[in-house]
Amino acid sequence: MDPDDDSIRRLSAEIERRRRAGGEPDPAAPDRPGRRALVLAGGGAAGNAWELGLIAGLHDAGVDLTEADVIIGTSAGSTVAAQVTSGTSPADLYAPILAEVPASPPATGREGLRHSASRGVSGQSYLEWSNAVIASAADAPDMRRKMGAAALQADSSQGSGAARWRDIVAARLPSHQWPDQHHLVVVAVDARTGEPVVFDRHSGVDLVDAVAASTSAMTPYRIGDGLYINGGYRRSENADLATGYERVLVLSPFSGRSRMPLEWRMDLAAQVEELRGSGSRVETVFPGAGAGEVFDANALDPSTRRQAAVGGHEQGRALAATLAEFWGRPA
């Protein structure tokens, strides 16, 4: 039994309840054969660029992943999810990455890491910090509680860090409004309780705040009275939240790996097993060699973005024929 099994059922049911409460058409209705979920995992600056490049490459070749019935974004994947559902074309999201000027050499320390994707911070300090928390935990829920406690203890900014982070996140999003034509779900973790949280347009939370919460790592992000940390502390992909969808496509910059003990079942293979066990068809896509050997601590370095995006774009075009059969609607 997955130790997080109860939260899977609860969060999946909440996603479906909100979809129906919002008056959205049932994707399982006879005139809409097959429900499709797109899952966008975290992966730092490089992961964001690779996912955008891949989605653009597939779109150029005739496969539109933004037609998914639900798009689930976690950490850097939540930024991608908000970007591709903004009404901006995949090509227009991809093109600016090619023109980006590499940032100055990485800074160090917690405050620098918080702005990793904009300041080019090395991920080594983050890995050391989080690995220590993981090693001290008894199981996944205990890890999330301890990660939240450590983040709360690390925050000495008195709110100024969160305000700066919000500005950075806002600048990355073409639209600050939840999309009307897509069911977008953003995953975070409550820093005080360690409980997973899902945000969507029915949550009463601004889109910018939801993405800022999902991407916040070593310090918490405040929304009202709540404090939140990175959604990847639940699971890097959170693909299991697509339970009940007929077809699930997962883009995983870290190739499904997890730094957590395998018995916690936080790796992508465990999530795919659960999804297939519930009747879903699942495909996963990992970065190819063309994206660069950057999907590790270096993933936070903005200088990796151009190669990651180009590699993703080429990979998307190459995979289009295969994924079209999986993703395309039945005749």
Side-chain angles (χ1 to χ4, degrees), residues 187-264:
V187 186
V189 169
D190 188 307
R192 293 191 180 103
T193 67
E195 285 296 305
V197 179
V198 292
F199 297 117
D200 64 10
R201 68 172 175 267
H202 307 301
S203 301
V205 169
D206 287 348
L207 175 61
V208 174
D209 287 323
V211 174
S214 186
T215 52
S216 192
M218 293 175 74
T219 51
Y221 183 82
R222 179 178 291 278
I223 303 176
D225 294 330
L227 290 165
Y228 303 94
I229 54 175
N230 198 289
Y233 295 137
R234 181 185 177 273
R235 277 174 156 174
S236 293
E237 296 82 12
N238 287 307
D240 51 304
L241 297 184
T243 296
Y245 282 79
E246 179 187 320
R247 285 167 285 171
V248 182
L249 179 62
V250 185
L251 309 190
S252 177
F254 290 135
S255 301
R257 299 187 303 272
S258 174
R259 291 181 291 130
M260 313 299 172
L262 285 178
E263 58 267 26
W264 294 2

Side-chain angles (χ1 to χ4, degrees), residues 44-320:
N48 170 274
W50 172 73
E51 289 180 350
L52 288 173
L54 185 83
I55 291 169
L58 285 166
H59 190 269
D60 287 351
V63 180
D64 188 356
L65 298 189
T66 70
E67 292 181 342
D69 296 295
V70 66
I71 300 178
I72 300 170
T74 299
S75 194
S78 72
T79 306
V80 176
Q83 290 168 324
V84 301
T85 58
S86 67
T88 305
S89 72
D92 286 341
L93 293 168
Y94 171 65
I97 302 175
L98 305 182
E100 288 178 359
V101 177
S104 56
T108 58
R110 286 177 176 146
E111 184 61 20
L113 179 64
R114 176 151 205 160
H115 307 287
S116 58
S118 68
R119 295 188 177 182
V121 177
S122 165
Q124 192 58 43
S125 59
Y126 168 69
L127 290 179
E128 293 172 357
W129 176 84
S130 56
N131 281 341
V133 176
I134 294 166
S136 72
D139 54 26
D142 186 46
M143 178 275 296
R144 290 196 299 269
R145 288 190 294 270
K146 289 184 173 179
M147 202 70 77
L152 290 167
Q153 185 178 16
D155 187 16
S156 59
S157 69
Q158 298 182 331
S160 62
R164 286 194 297 271
W165 186 237
R166 190 185 197 281
D167 289 344
I168 291 168
V169 171
R172 295 173 179 163
L173 305 185
S175 171
H176 296 172
Q177 306 301 316
W178 289 95
D180 290 328
Q181 302 302 316
H182 301 85
H183 187 195
L184 168 60
V185 174
V186 174
V187 186
V189 169
D190 188 307
R192 293 191 180 103
T193 67
E195 285 296 305
V197 179
V198 292
F199 297 117
D200 64 10
R201 68 172 175 267
H202 307 301
S203 301
V205 169
D206 287 348
L207 175 61
V208 174
D209 287 323
V211 174
S214 186
T215 52
S216 192
M218 293 175 74
T219 51
Y221 183 82
R222 179 178 291 278
I223 303 176
D225 294 330
L227 290 165
Y228 303 94
I229 54 175
N230 198 289
Y233 295 137
R234 181 185 177 273
R235 277 174 156 174
S236 293
E237 296 82 12
N238 287 307
D240 51 304
L241 297 184
T243 296
Y245 282 79
E246 179 187 320
R247 285 167 285 171
V248 182
L249 179 62
V250 185
L251 309 190
S252 177
F254 290 135
S255 301
R257 299 187 303 272
S258 174
R259 291 181 291 130
M260 313 299 172
L262 285 178
E263 58 267 26
W264 294 2
R265 294 182 61 80
M266 295 181 69
D267 58 301
L268 180 56
Q271 299 170 58
V272 170
E273 178 185 336
E274 293 160 15
L275 284 167
R276 289 176 175 161
S278 69
S280 297
R281 295 171 57 200
V282 186
E283 292 289 343
T284 60
V285 182
F286 305 151
E293 299 296 327
V294 298
F295 295 97
D296 49 27
N298 292 326
L300 296 179
D301 184 348
S303 69
T304 63
R305 285 176 53 80
R306 191 182 193 283
Q307 183 176 356
V310 171
H313 190 270
E314 293 173 350
Q315 189 178 2
R317 293 185 65 87
L319 288 173

Side-chain angles (χ1 to χ4, degrees), residues 27 31-36 67-69 247 324-331:
D31 62 335
R32 299 191 65 183
R35 304 197 305 165
R36 299 177 295 180
E67 292 181 342
D69 296 295
R247 285 167 285 171
E325 182 178 359
F326 170 78
W327 193 249
R329 293 187 184 280

